[in-house]
Amino acid sequence: MSSNEDLLRRHGLRVTRPRLAVLEILAEGGHLEVEDIAGRARTRLDSVSTQAVYDVLGALSRAGLARRIEPAGSPARFEARVGDNHHHIVCRGCGAIADVDCSVGERPCLTPNEAQGFEVDEAEVTFWGLCPDCQARRQADEAV
């Protein structure tokens, strides 16, 4: 039995081929869009619909096995890095996304002045800027 099968069972999820495929894809790393995940899943399975991949990602996210991020102006992305309350930095030029470890202290990293009665367990921060490749392109454009 694979560790991903055990992982699904420990989180109360049925073991299915689409779930196993999506877990494997997420484990390869990155901040992946649903279409990319679905395309990769289709190379591993005979067939799988995009809706099935959305359903799998929803179940994995609710179980805490995947994290959904939605930078402003971008489609939802999914990653396997969960449980550490890390943040993200997004390139304004090309849309590349990278992880940024917790900014200050322990989870939730940031504490609101007024939590309105909520029990805060996570804070999400998105940093914006230009990646090294886009900085180089900007400098090249300025030189012309």
Side-chain angles (χ1 to χ4, degrees):
M1 188 178 321
S2 80
S3 61
N4 281 339
E5 290 176 4
D6 290 336
L7 188 63
L8 289 169
R9 287 190 179 103
R10 280 196 313 271
H11 284 84
L13 297 175
R14 276 186 316 111
V15 175
T16 65
R17 290 181 65 227
R19 286 179 178 168
L20 291 171
V22 170
L23 276 175
E24 289 172 8
I25 293 162
L26 291 176
E28 293 169 359
H31 303 89
L32 306 172
E33 294 181 27
V34 174
E35 291 298 327
D36 186 27
I37 296 168
R40 292 183 192 190
R42 287 185 192 105
T43 65
R44 296 166 194 228
L45 305 171
D46 295 332
S47 70
V48 65
S49 70
T50 301
Q51 184 58 54
V53 172
Y54 271 107
D55 294 344
V56 166
L57 289 166
L60 295 177
S61 296
R62 288 187 298 277
L65 298 174
R67 182 173 178 189
R68 177 186 176 120
I69 62 168
E70 295 182 68
S74 297
R77 309 258 185 139
F78 292 84
E79 65 179 334
R81 186 175 172 187
V82 296
D84 66 350
N85 197 207
H86 69 279
H87 307 297
H88 297 95
I89 188 162
V90 180
C91 179
R92 291 184 189 281
C94 67
I97 300 175
D99 291 335
V100 176
D101 288 330
C102 194
S103 299
V104 178
E106 295 181 12
R107 186 176 182 175
C109 303
L110 303 170
T111 305
N113 290 334
E114 177 55 50
Q116 305 294 322
F118 283 73
E119 181 180 302
V120 178
D121 62 8
E122 183 176 4
E124 185 170 317
V125 174
T126 303
F127 298 94
W128 294 87
L130 288 178
C131 70
D133 289 342
C134 288
Q135 290 175 55
R137 275 194 289 278
R138 180 183 64 192
Q139 289 173 348
D141 289 346
E142 289 172 355
V144 174

